Amino acid sequence: MGSIVCMNLVKRYGDVTALDGVSFKVDAGEVVGLLGPNGSGKSTTMKILLGFVRPDGGYALVDGVNPVEDPVEVRRRVGYVPENIVLYESLTPKEYFEFVARVRGLTREEYEDRVVKFVKAFEIEEYMDVLITALSKGSKQKVALISALLHEPDVLILDEPLMGLDATSARIFKEYLRMRALRGAAVLLSTHIMEIAEKICDRIVLLHRGRVVVSGSVEEVKSGLESLEEVLLKVTGISGELREVVEALS
Amino acid sequence: MRSSRLLASVRRGWTISLVMVREAIFRSSRERQVFRTGKQLARGVFMYNGFMNVMGFLLISALAMYPFSMPVADRVYGFQLSTLGAVLLVVTMNFMNTFYGSWLLQNFGYLDVLKPLPVEDGELQVALIIATSLTSLWIIFAGPVLAIGAYASMNDVVLSVYSLVTVYVGALIGAALGYLVASMVGGRRYVTPSYKTALMQLAQTLLVLFTLTAYYIVLSIFPLVIRTVRKFAISLRGSILHTLLYAIYPINIAFTGGDTLLETVQLAVQLLWLMGSWLFYRYGALRFCRSALNPKHRMIMHPVKPLTRSVIYRVPASMAVAFKDLKMVFRDARYSSTLLLPLVMLIPAFINWYGRARAQLMILANYLAMVEVSTLALSLQSMQVEGRYGWLSLYHLGSRRKLAKGKLVLSTLTAVAYILPVSLILIFSMDIAAALISVSCIPASMGASAILISTLVKGLKPDQPIAYRGGYIAMAAIPMLHSSLSFAIYSSGQALLGILLGWALAIALAILGWVCIDKVPEIP
């Protein structure tokens, strides 16, 4: 049973305040969408949760572990897909999965059982022996997703995980996330595609300029507006500007 | 408990490092455009390391032969000097290798993939040490070369073992220092430069270096093992065997102590070198030849056409293309290393020539053979660069023949620049026969280069590694045999026969080259 807690997180890069007292939690069994415009602090929050970045104030707990104190333990428990995926491109997907499994200490049986399952689900059997560098963006994304899921973590932190995926794979992945949540995983998902957030998230945390501006269930956040996109435009105060820009273009 | 944890760390570090090194080698070959953008120049460290490896190895070989150039009474002094030089060399070069390798692995994205994975700092340290040690492979071969040199000059096993050990100790010290400095300069969390850590790293380096030594000896001795692990380390294999190919040359030189028996051994080793190269690249080479001789490609087997066209008319255009390439020559590390290789080889050649012993002619033959091979490699790499940067399809469009001839001019200039000084020295030494043979290397190089270039321009995509491997080795055999055979005959006392054979082969190659390059079609 996983969980994520962010409590008054503050992060500054020089004069720029990236996070200014961000607090939210993701309970076991929840899929929470972390939304916001570019530069709102989503990626910084995720980096703090993984222990890549040290917060200047507040604290975070991932499955009860503070990433500042024990980042390796956090990474052991988390499945993470970064926005810009980095893979060892000189390996084939098969070799890469084996590598990740060895580093994560999976047994041969666990590895084989899971890889077969994921590879079939995401339809990359035919690319298993092709160098990753030769794969399409979508296939690389699938490799990154599978390697994040191989150890069946109780906490999933996913930054734009559906980027480049075809419709079938995206659907499968969304269903898988729901299933993982039902089994007690805590899922934090960042995306710019509001429809996806509306469909798969239980709750939404909307960040703007490093602060949580709206938080609650999808229906609560929408509060009578047509879509999450409308909510985002409204709370970030750019709906008026947007109209002007569109009119200028036309 | 502690030891089992250490062992587990080493094992996981080993796994990580192999993947990192493979990735690094892969990236360095794929991202040679870093030299164009300049932004990621530092990623070329692995090319730089490759060059350093060759340089270091050849310098060690020169040092190993240094005592030969002295009278017997002074050889102890010579031995001490060469051992000291070798130790300083390995300390410095391994320091540089480890420093750059480690620092760059930390700072240029090779560790990014590991970020989300639960990798302990200790494991990462082991991985970094192994990864950087892999780029210093030449030291493994340098030790035996120095030892053989010491034995040949001093005839003393103890001194030979002493030189072997000092080189390895020097390498360890250099690596440990390089790693520590990289840790401090890199400023990442992976290393805490403390006294205890330094000791740990030294111990780990020792362990790793000895493991690697065993690993590569196994790889070197049993080609079957190489085949078995081929899938696992395709990129590594290339680098290891490339190192080996270069390694055999100086060993071969070190053998030439000065009598006929050793000359025979030297020739045998040279032939083994060729056979080994052929075996290693057999698929590539065979495919290359099949492709080259395929009537569909209309390459080599053309009827000789009367040489009626004016050479003078065509030279300016070709020169223009060649000089456009010169800029690239100095920007691409591998290019430059090819150019510099004969220069490095010049050191042992002249050290031995200085001794004036007639038997040392074989060293000269080796040098000239290396020049011929390097000239070929240069033509080939120049074509690869053309392919990679897309120039073939841009400003050369419609002028492939001009392009091919430009490449020929470029590679010939190199051959002339390296062969002429040697020929002049031979003339001043009143060894006119040897000078005549050495000059014949120029038309031989030109002919072989012309065949290779025209084949690449016409038939194959220049960027294909298969062409590089197969072509390089297949064509390298021809000029190497040319200089080796003619000098071998000459040094056996048959001067006239040596000259005749040298020039006959060179003229045949030149004519064939001319025909081939003249048949390069313009793009319709």
Side-chain angles (χ1 to χ4, degrees):
Chain A
M1 302 290 263
S3 66
I4 297 171
V5 174
C6 290
M7 192 55 71
N8 279 322
L9 285 180
V10 177
K11 180 67 195 174
R12 293 184 201 91
Y13 296 107
D15 294 337
V16 179
T17 304
L19 296 181
D20 190 5
V22 168
S23 297
F24 66 87
K25 61 189 276 197
V26 184
D27 289 324
E30 269 192 320
V31 179
V32 171
L34 190 63
L35 311 181
N38 293 335
S40 59
K42 303 184 297 290
S43 293
T44 302
T45 307
M46 290 186 163
K47 283 176 186 168
I48 289 175
L49 289 170
L50 268 297
F52 301 156
V53 171
R54 188 183 278 264
D56 296 319
Y59 66 90
L61 293 174
V62 177
D63 219 6
V65 181
N66 189 327
V68 174
E69 289 164 8
D70 196 348
V72 176
E73 185 54 39
V74 166
R75 286 165 212 170
R76 202 164 278 141
R77 297 175 185 214
V78 171
Y80 171 61
V81 177
E83 184 179 7
N84 299 312
I85 52 167
V86 202
L87 305 164
Y88 283 133
E89 303 212 337
S90 65
L91 301 182
T92 62
K94 189 178 167 195
E95 289 167 333
Y96 187 70
F97 296 145
E98 278 172 2
F99 171 68
V100 171
R102 283 178 75 175
V103 173
R104 289 203 173 276
L106 298 187
T107 63
R108 192 78 211 166
E109 292 74 31
E110 283 173 331
Y111 161 74
E112 278 171 1
D113 179 45
R114 291 171 195 177
V115 154
V116 168
K117 192 174 69 183
F118 285 124
V119 163
K120 198 171 173 195
F122 286 106
E123 295 177 325
I124 57 165
E125 295 113 313
E126 59 183 302
Y127 306 120
M128 283 297 272
D129 292 316
V130 176
L131 287 183
I132 289 175
T133 189
L135 298 182
S136 66
K137 182 165 167 41
S139 300
K140 284 182 187 172
Q141 187 72 17
K142 289 175 186 177
V143 173
L145 286 175
I146 294 172
S147 57
L149 302 173
L150 263 184
H151 58 300
E152 297 195 339
D154 281 337
V155 178
L156 281 164
I157 298 177
L158 311 165
D159 202 350
E160 297 286 356
L162 302 177
M163 193 105 79
L165 287 192
D166 54 70
T168 318
S169 301
R171 179 64 187 267
I172 288 169
F173 185 67
K174 285 185 273 186
E175 294 297 329
Y176 179 77
L177 281 189
R178 292 278 2 137
M179 192 184 75
R180 292 289 306 153
L182 282 173
R183 291 184 185 172
V187 182
L188 181 65
L189 169 87
S190 162
T191 179
H192 285 294
I193 306 167
M194 297 299 137
E195 291 81 3
I196 291 172
E198 272 190 75
K199 278 183 187 156
I200 55 176
C201 294
D202 300 307
R203 286 195 301 116
I204 299 294
V205 174
L206 215 154
L207 292 182
H208 183 48
R209 291 181 182 152
R211 292 182 178 186
V212 176
V213 283
V214 180
S215 172
S217 69
V218 175
E219 289 312 314
E220 284 168 0
V221 169
K222 278 164 75 174
S223 61
L225 287 171
E226 196 178 306
S227 66
L228 279 176
E229 190 178 271
E230 294 292 324
V231 177
L232 184 75
L233 293 174
K234 187 183 167 194
V235 298
T236 54
I238 54 172
S239 49
E241 290 170 33
L242 189 76
R243 210 162 293 128
E244 282 171 28
V245 171
V246 173
E247 276 168 15
L249 280 175
S250 62
Chain B
M1 187 68 184
R2 275 177 71 90
S3 61
S4 65
R5 274 182 57 192
L6 181 68
L7 202 65
S9 282
V10 171
R11 277 177 55 193
R12 278 156 60 92
W14 174 247
T15 308
I16 294 166
S17 73
L18 282 182
V19 172
M20 279 205 300
V21 169
R22 178 169 165 167
E23 178 72 5
I25 292 170
F26 177 79
R27 281 197 202 183
S28 71
S29 64
R30 185 165 55 91
E31 297 186 2
R32 223 159 271 130
Q33 67 267 29
V34 294
F35 291 97
R36 187 164 53 168
T37 62
K39 281 182 193 166
Q40 296 167 299
L41 187 72
R43 277 190 183 165
V45 68
F46 286 90
M47 272 183 285
Y48 155 83
N49 277 352
F51 177 55
M52 288 283 277
N53 288 345
V54 175
M55 281 278 286
F57 195 82
L58 292 172
L59 284 173
I60 285 272
S61 308
L63 285 166
M65 285 182 294
Y66 173 65
F68 282 128
S69 63
M70 306 188 113
V72 177
D74 293 337
R75 284 194 182 176
V76 174
Y77 171 68
F79 169 77
Q80 285 166 346
L81 270 187
S82 59
T83 306
L84 179 69
V87 171
L88 285 175
L89 186 73
V90 291
V91 170
T92 314
M93 294 189 80
N94 223 21
F95 171 82
M96 296 300 281
N97 269 345
T98 318
F99 170 71
Y100 273 112
S102 179
W103 186 73
L104 287 167
L105 280 172
Q106 287 185 45
N107 290 283
F108 283 82
Y110 295 101
L111 301 181
D112 287 352
V113 183
L114 300 174
K115 267 184 168 179
L117 300 174
V119 179
E120 302 278 355
D121 287 1
E123 288 163 4
L124 214 46
Q125 281 180 10
V126 177
L128 282 174
I129 291 170
I130 296 171
T132 50
S133 303
L134 283 170
T135 65
S136 306
L137 274 180
W138 68 278
I139 286 160
I140 290 165
F141 304 108
V145 167
L146 195 68
I148 290 168
Y151 181 73
S153 63
M154 304 292 296
N155 211 9
D156 187 329
V157 177
V158 178
L159 285 182
S160 175
V161 173
Y162 166 76
S163 62
L164 181 85
V165 172
T166 45
V167 163
Y168 285 139
V169 171
L172 287 177
I173 293 169
L177 282 175
Y179 187 66
L180 275 180
V181 176
S183 317
M184 288 185 270
V185 177
R188 291 292 177 98
R189 69 177 179 86
Y190 301 117
V191 196
T192 21
S194 68
Y195 178 65
K196 194 180 156 197
T197 319
L199 280 179
M200 274 300 291
Q201 281 160 3
L202 194 63
Q204 285 169 346
T205 313
L206 264 169
L207 181 74
V208 166
L209 210 68
F210 284 119
T211 317
L212 282 178
T213 309
Y215 180 67
Y216 285 105
I217 284 172
V218 169
L219 279 188
S220 316
I221 292 172
F222 301 108
L224 272 177
V225 181
I226 295 175
R227 276 206 290 278
T228 317
V229 296
R230 191 170 55 195
K231 262 187 120 178
F232 147 80
I234 282 170
S235 305
L236 268 185
R237 182 192 62 173
S239 67
I240 295 160
L241 286 178
H242 211 80
T243 313
L244 267 177
L245 293 185
Y246 282 120
I248 291 169
Y249 240 108
I251 289 174
N252 155 12
I253 292 172
F255 259 121
T256 356
D259 62 40
T260 322
L261 176 68
L262 285 175
E263 275 173 34
T264 317
V265 171
Q266 191 262 358
L267 258 185
V269 172
Q270 190 148 314
L271 285 173
L272 278 176
W273 185 87
L274 281 174
M275 282 168 62
S277 311
W278 175 264
L279 276 175
F280 169 51
Y281 289 118
R282 65 195 183 289
Y283 296 123
L286 287 175
R287 280 179 63 177
F288 172 81
C289 289
R290 266 206 297 275
S291 179
L293 297 172
N294 189 338
K296 218 167 51 181
H297 292 141
R298 292 177 294 122
M299 284 171 209
I300 293 174
M301 299 304 169
H302 277 293
V304 179
K305 192 179 170 184
L307 311 176
T308 51
R309 295 182 191 176
S310 158
V311 178
I312 299 165
Y313 171 75
R314 296 171 194 172
V315 166
S318 307
M319 291 289 276
V321 177
F323 282 111
K324 267 182 193 167
D325 260 10
L326 278 178
K327 215 161 59 177
M328 184 57 70
V329 166
F330 294 106
R331 283 169 68 193
D332 191 314
R334 211 174 57 163
Y335 234 6
S336 312
S337 67
T338 307
L339 270 176
L340 288 174
L341 198 60
L343 194 67
V344 182
M345 286 295 291
L346 207 58
I347 301 166
F350 277 113
I351 285 176
N352 283 277
W353 184 249
Y354 189 69
R356 296 286 173 90
R358 194 175 171 78
Q360 303 300 342
L361 271 175
M362 287 314 292
I363 308 293
L364 199 64
N366 259 327
Y367 169 70
L368 290 170
M370 187 53 100
V371 172
E372 291 189 43
V373 173
S374 297
T375 308
L376 272 183
L378 186 72
S379 335
L380 209 142
Q381 284 170 13
S382 126
M383 294 309 298
Q384 282 190 306
V385 171
E386 292 284 352
R388 187 166 294 116
Y389 291 103
W391 294 350
L392 275 174
S393 54
L394 292 174
Y395 70 83
H396 288 311
L397 198 67
S399 181
R400 281 192 173 187
R401 197 176 298 156
K402 198 189 293 176
L403 167 74
K405 288 180 180 173
K407 300 293 148 193
L408 182 61
V409 172
L410 182 70
S411 57
T412 307
L413 283 177
T414 322
V416 171
Y418 283 119
I419 290 170
L420 270 189
V422 177
S423 309
L424 285 175
I425 288 171
L426 288 168
I427 291 168
F428 287 128
S429 313
M430 300 305 288
D431 199 342
I432 306 298
L436 281 173
I437 296 179
S438 69
V439 176
S440 78
C441 292
I442 296 173
S445 292
M446 284 178 71
S449 293
I451 296 168
L452 187 65
I453 291 168
S454 58
T455 306
L456 287 172
V457 173
K458 280 179 67 181
L460 297 168
K461 231 177 108 189
D463 206 21
Q464 278 178 341
I466 203 84
Y468 169 67
R469 291 174 184 169
Y472 178 69
I473 296 304
M475 292 305 298
I478 299 170
M480 274 190 65
L481 281 175
H482 163 259
S483 49
S484 305
L485 274 179
S486 38
F487 268 102
I489 292 171
Y490 168 66
S491 62
S492 69
Q494 302 290 322
L496 188 61
L497 195 60
I499 297 170
L500 285 177
L501 181 78
W503 275 97
L505 274 173
I507 290 168
L509 271 172
I511 291 175
L512 193 58
W514 175 270
V515 172
C516 287
I517 209 147
D518 211 38
K519 290 290 174 190
V520 171
E522 298 298 348
I523 295 173

